[in-house]
């Protein structure tokens, strides 16, 4: 079984623009593994950020018709 990773795209006013999805295994293959400093994590400590290109995602409604 492969997990589905779903992301909400929002505009500057935090209004929903679109929903995007990808299989988690494809997400792991497509992200940049060069870590960048992030903000504080949920536990209060430092976190890292991995960049994922938007181009590897599929619009959610299209994605759901292919699985």
């Amino acid at each position: 079984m492969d997990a589905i990773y779903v992301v909400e795209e929002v505009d500057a006013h935090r209004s929903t623009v679109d929903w995007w999805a990808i299989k988690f295994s494809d997400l792991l293959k497509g992200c940049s593994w060069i870590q960048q400093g992030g903000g504080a994590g949920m536990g209060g400590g430092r976190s890292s950020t991995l960049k994922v290109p938007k181009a590897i995602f599929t619009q959610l409604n299209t994605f759901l018709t292919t699985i």
Side-chain angles (χ1 to χ4, degrees):
M1 289 180 52
D2 203 355
I4 298 172
Y5 193 81
V6 177
V7 177
E8 178 186 16
E9 179 182 4
V10 297
D11 63 17
H13 303 289
R14 302 185 64 83
S15 298
T16 301
V17 174
D18 210 342
W19 290 89
W20 300 88
I22 191 170
K23 289 181 182 177
F24 193 71
S25 59
D26 292 334
L27 176 77
L28 294 175
K29 293 177 208 171
C31 68
S32 171
W33 289 100
I34 300 169
Q35 294 186 358
Q36 297 181 335
M42 292 192 320
R46 299 294 299 161
S47 67
S48 295
T49 300
L50 297 174
K51 289 189 173 186
V52 181
K54 182 180 175 181
I56 68 170
F57 286 84
T58 305
Q59 285 183 307
L60 181 59
N61 58 348
T62 302
F63 180 85
L64 292 175
T65 62
T66 64
I67 57 172

